[in-house]
Amino acid sequence: MERTLILLKPDAVSQKLCGKVIARFEEAGFTIRGCKMTQLTPEILAEHYAHIAKFPFYPDVEEFMKSTPVIALVLEGEGIIEKMRGMLGVTDCLQAPPGTIREQWGSKEEGKNKMCNIAHASDSAEAAEVEIKRFFASEELFDY
Ligand code: ADP
């Protein structure tokens, strides 16, 4: 069993799509181990997005990610890290394959299509471990 960190981004929150996205995760058989709403700060975003901080679009990403609270989830399932990246589709919603979450609900608007893409998911087991600790204390995760 593997765990992954999901953030439902401000475009999911503001369009009231969180329930639909979470339904997709549950229909896929994944188990919710942790769930909370949180307001991201420049500090936590600088950590979480350290790998893109050098790019000219980073200030826009920071602004976007702070624009509403986000919903953070820890989900568990067999091979979930790879399966979830497949369910989301690639970063650019215009390139995301049909039926993926980013294709279905992400922005198709020029200039927003690579940024407003509904959800973050950890891209490796190593990243998942660090990201889960970044957003959840151990007592906020539940075995049941
Ligand atoms: P992913 O979320 O698909 O793993 P990255 O880790 O490369 O993508 O980038 C983190 C986030 O930064 C993306 O999900 C997206 O919101 C934003 N982003 C990435 N590339 C761009 C870009 N070229 N222009 C605008 N925003 C971007």
Side-chain angles (χ1 to χ4, degrees):
M1 278 297 177
E2 251 178 11
R3 290 184 178 192
T4 193
L5 185 277
I6 301 293
L7 298 176
L8 301 182
K9 298 186 182 189
D11 53 337
V13 173
S14 60
Q15 295 180 91
K16 305 194 187 316
L17 289 168
C18 297
K20 288 193 173 109
V21 176
I22 292 171
R24 290 276 285 270
F25 298 155
E26 291 189 311
E27 282 156 14
F30 303 145
T31 302
I32 299 174
R33 294 290 177 204
C35 179
K36 65 174 159 189
M37 184 169 248
T38 182
Q39 176 62 53
L40 299 179
T41 61
E43 292 72 30
I44 202 161
L45 280 165
E47 261 186 42
H48 184 68
Y49 279 149
H51 63 291
I52 58 162
K54 58 183 179 290
F55 294 117
F57 58 81
Y58 181 73
D60 290 339
V61 173
E62 187 196 282
E63 210 47 46
F64 164 60
M65 291 297 290
K66 289 187 316 188
S67 64
T68 72
V70 299
I71 291 180
L73 296 156
V74 173
L75 296 179
E76 186 177 272
E78 223 168 89
I80 192 170
I81 292 168
E82 205 183 322
K83 284 183 189 161
M84 182 61 74
R85 299 280 295 180
M87 276 180 74
L88 281 190
V90 293
T91 310
D92 182 350
C93 304
L94 290 171
Q95 305 292 328
T100 60
I101 288 169
R102 285 171 166 174
E103 182 272 337
Q104 192 169 353
W105 290 306
S107 179
K108 308 292 189 315
E109 201 182 315
E110 195 60 44
K112 290 193 175 170
N113 54 297
K114 291 182 185 163
M115 183 169 77
C116 301
N117 56 13
I118 303 290
H120 163 84
S122 308
D123 66 2
S124 66
E126 297 71 31
E129 198 185 334
V130 172
E131 291 177 359
I132 289 169
K133 286 206 182 98
R134 178 173 298 138
F135 289 96
F136 286 87
S138 56
E139 64 270 20
E140 294 175 315
L141 298 173
F142 298 89
D143 287 311
Y144 51 91

